[in-house]
Amino acid sequence: MSEAREETKRFFTLKRVGWLTALVYACACLAFVKGPGAYTRAGREIVTWLLVLPLLFLFWKGYKLLETDDEAGDARRDARTVAVFASVFCLFAFLTVPFHSTDVFGYVNRGWQQTHYGLNPYVYRLADTPGWQQDPMMREHWLYNPNPYGFLFSLLARFLCYVGGGNFWATLALFKLTNVAAFAASAWLVWKTSALLGHAGHGGRVRTLYLILWNPLVLMHHVANGHNDILVGCLVALAIYLAASGALLWIVPALVAAALLKYAPALLVPPALVFVVRRKGWKTAALGCLVGALMVVAVSAPYLKDWRLLKLADIQDNATLIDNSLHSFLIHIFENLARLAPALSPLHGAADWLIKTTLRAALVAFVLYQWIRVPKDFSAESLARKSVLILYALVCVASSKFNAWYLAMLLPAALTLREGDWLRRLVVLTSAAELLSLTFFKQAYVINYFTMLLVPALYVFRQERKKARLDPREEHGARASPAPG
């Protein structure tokens, strides 16, 4: 048995793991060449599991191999290997037709509404667009809700559809290429920020690079399926890089731009502003706010001309849907209990209100605490940690709606933290677990949140408790010894 294990160890090198991973992505590209409707539900489930399980195993295996390579020569070789194979993975993922959540088709719809029909996507729904059924650029996606994204993303969608010139596949390729560019930029920012913060030697930085470039969640959800959250994550990582490099004037504008794509990063502006004030004074902070305000005015102007007609209630309803979240997890538990004890059924509305109110109140209290509690030595690392904490609390805990691809908003920033930091490990492990969202787990209410979010959190908590018992002098947070993620 031991000889077999040794043989297995000798077989797995980083390059071989890379080739095997590339093979899985090539299979995904071929399996979904006809798009999301290529299989029956059962057939699609089988195909998806045959992709997900090897990707998770290989992602883990590659990281374990890198843990042993801390010598400078090995690390430089590994960095090249990681970057080259990431390019191969990206190519196959780029060529894969969106097959899971096809939100990218909705992006094209919104952009084409503006470019071809001159309609404000915050006022007019797809169903309001004349003759959309006969338009080859339009897909049956988001028929009855207005655009849920920020003004900057709407302008980006408009621009990409204009460049696409009315060719659907060319336009889809432009959206995916934009994500690939953001993916590559995020990796570069993580690499450079890790060096600026001096978190680890070359080997540690290579492991950090690996955790973003070979991350199957990002490759599947944001390159293959084209979700736009990686754009937000890139700008949040840019803000952390600017903090680490000393270009403090542009931190607030970077976060404002991120919030103009999707709204969550707006919560990161106050602590960033405090950081700038502490480091450079009120003059730099005020100038950064001015740049951010001018950006908001310029980007929102094309859409706020019709401000009286904006469907704000519909946008709010979409943002507060109950799906795949802690809210969903708790209310489904209540519903299952109500089936066993029918007397509980009339209390459903009260239970739902209590869950929602508690989560939102807890979020407000937590965010205010993070804004107010600022360390005397407010470093770039502290800003990164505070930003990831706030985003995690909002996206993974308090929000009534959660989707796996939201994690790309905080993954790049989380990877700028130290290797042993429990928060970094939590985000990385959750991103790996959320690859199961490609399977039936996405719709397996109660099970999905427990498996993909609570289990990683409980695992990290258990590991932290074990470390605290072994060395009670260590504080919670960053650890000196490296750990996966």
Side-chain angles (χ1 to χ4, degrees):
M1 184 64 71
S2 61
E3 290 182 5
R5 281 198 295 268
E6 286 300 318
E7 190 65 31
T8 301
K9 287 181 181 179
R10 284 195 295 270
F11 173 78
F12 282 109
T13 63
L14 188 62
K15 285 187 177 180
R16 284 176 178 167
V17 170
W19 283 118
L20 290 171
T21 305
L23 178 61
V24 178
Y25 285 116
C27 289
C29 182
L30 293 173
F32 294 105
V33 69
K34 294 184 179 179
Y39 301 97
T40 63
R41 185 173 180 177
R44 177 175 163 176
E45 195 66 34
I46 292 169
V47 170
T48 305
W49 277 103
L50 290 174
L51 298 172
V52 165
L53 293 179
L55 286 176
L56 286 175
F57 170 76
L58 292 168
F59 184 54
W60 169 80
K61 191 66 181 177
Y63 187 86
K64 298 304 288 184
L65 290 168
L66 286 174
E67 277 191 313
T68 61
D69 288 349
D70 276 318
E71 295 294 331
D74 290 340
R76 282 193 290 271
R77 178 200 64 207
D78 290 341
R80 289 192 296 269
T81 302
V82 167
V84 169
F85 276 106
S87 302
V88 176
F89 305 159
C90 248
L91 175 62
F92 285 125
F94 171 78
L95 294 173
T96 302
V97 177
F99 63 89
H100 184 249
S101 172
T102 53
D103 283 359
V104 67
F105 296 168
Y107 307 162
V108 176
N109 287 345
R110 297 303 183 219
W112 193 241
Q113 261 189 315
Q114 301 173 75
T115 302
H116 188 66
Y117 295 95
L119 299 178
N120 186 336
Y122 299 96
V123 173
Y124 296 97
R125 304 166 300 177
L126 180 62
D128 300 326
T129 307
W132 71 267
Q133 298 93 331
Q134 289 76 46
D135 193 326
M137 282 287 287
M138 297 289 204
R139 295 295 185 272
E140 191 171 335
H141 195 280
W142 295 345
L143 294 179
Y144 302 107
N145 65 312
N147 187 7
Y149 300 116
F151 298 136
L152 182 58
F153 185 73
S154 295
L155 280 178
L156 176 63
R158 178 179 178 178
F159 172 74
L160 295 178
C161 285
Y162 173 79
V163 175
N167 183 300
F168 175 81
W169 294 106
T171 304
L172 178 63
L174 288 171
F175 275 94
K176 295 181 75 171
L177 277 174
T178 302
N179 282 12
V180 170
F183 182 32
S186 297
W188 184 86
L189 289 167
V190 166
W191 174 267
K192 297 297 288 186
T193 305
S194 296
L196 289 170
L197 296 178
H199 283 169
H202 208 77
R205 291 171 63 204
V206 173
R207 287 189 289 272
T208 296
L209 190 67
Y210 173 90
L211 288 171
I212 186 168
L213 284 180
W214 285 33
N215 192 298
L217 181 84
V218 179
L219 286 157
M220 278 298 201
H221 273 309
H222 302 92
V223 181
N225 286 296
H227 288 286
N228 60 5
D229 307 80
I230 190 64
L231 305 178
V232 180
C234 181
L235 288 174
V236 174
L238 173 61
I240 305 304
Y241 169 76
L242 293 169
S245 64
L248 307 194
L249 170 65
W250 302 102
I251 296 175
V252 170
L255 291 174
V256 168
L260 287 169
L261 293 170
K262 297 187 83 168
Y263 308 116
L267 294 179
L268 308 184
V269 173
L273 187 58
V274 173
F275 176 84
V276 177
V277 171
R278 287 279 188 91
R279 293 285 173 168
K280 284 287 187 178
W282 283 103
K283 184 177 179 181
T284 302
L287 188 56
C289 288
L290 177 62
V291 174
L294 291 174
M295 186 187 308
V296 171
V297 171
V299 169
S300 62
Y303 305 104
L304 293 184
K305 289 184 295 185
D306 305 317
W307 64 271
R308 291 185 180 86
L309 302 175
L310 298 182
K311 290 184 167 56
L312 298 179
D314 292 341
I315 295 172
Q316 181 181 356
D317 288 344
N318 177 71
T320 56
L321 285 173
I322 302 172
D323 189 37
N324 298 317
S325 59
L326 179 57
H327 186 170
S328 173
F329 173 76
L330 294 173
I331 197 62
H332 277 93
I333 289 176
F334 178 87
E335 289 170 356
N336 289 330
L337 290 174
R339 291 189 183 97
L340 298 174
L344 293 174
S345 295
L347 300 176
H348 183 279
D352 184 66
W353 177 87
L354 181 61
I355 293 168
K356 177 173 62 178
T357 304
T358 302
L359 289 174
R360 292 180 182 179
L363 175 68
V364 170
F366 180 79
V367 170
L368 287 175
Y369 175 75
Q370 291 299 323
W371 288 357
I372 295 168
R373 184 179 178 273
V374 177
K376 290 182 179 179
D377 180 21
F378 197 7
S379 63
E381 182 179 357
S382 299
L383 178 64
R385 201 163 198 284
K386 196 174 286 290
S387 299
V388 177
L389 275 171
I390 291 172
L391 283 178
Y392 185 89
L394 170 62
V395 172
C396 300
V397 180
S399 174
S400 293
K401 183 170 69 171
F402 174 81
N403 286 303
W405 45 90
Y406 294 174
L407 282 169
M409 288 190 279
L410 56 153
L411 178 65
L415 289 173
T416 65
L417 303 177
R418 295 179 185 275
E419 271 199 285
D421 194 301
W422 68 265
L423 183 58
R424 168 176 153 140
R425 294 205 314 275
L426 175 59
V427 173
V428 171
L429 289 172
T430 304
S431 75
E434 283 292 338
L435 192 65
L436 295 173
S437 64
L438 293 170
T439 71
F440 75 88
F441 273 79
K442 173 72 166 68
Q443 302 301 330
Y445 297 113
V446 178
I447 294 175
N448 59 8
Y449 192 87
F450 176 80
T451 304
M452 296 186 285
L453 280 148
L454 286 183
V455 168
L458 291 169
Y459 174 80
V460 171
F461 175 77
R462 181 173 174 271
Q463 292 296 103
E464 288 300 300
R465 294 291 295 173
K466 185 185 296 185
K467 287 179 182 178
R469 285 196 300 271
L470 291 174
D471 188 353
R473 294 170 301 174
E474 288 196 9
E475 297 178 356
H476 293 288
R479 306 288 182 181
S481 59

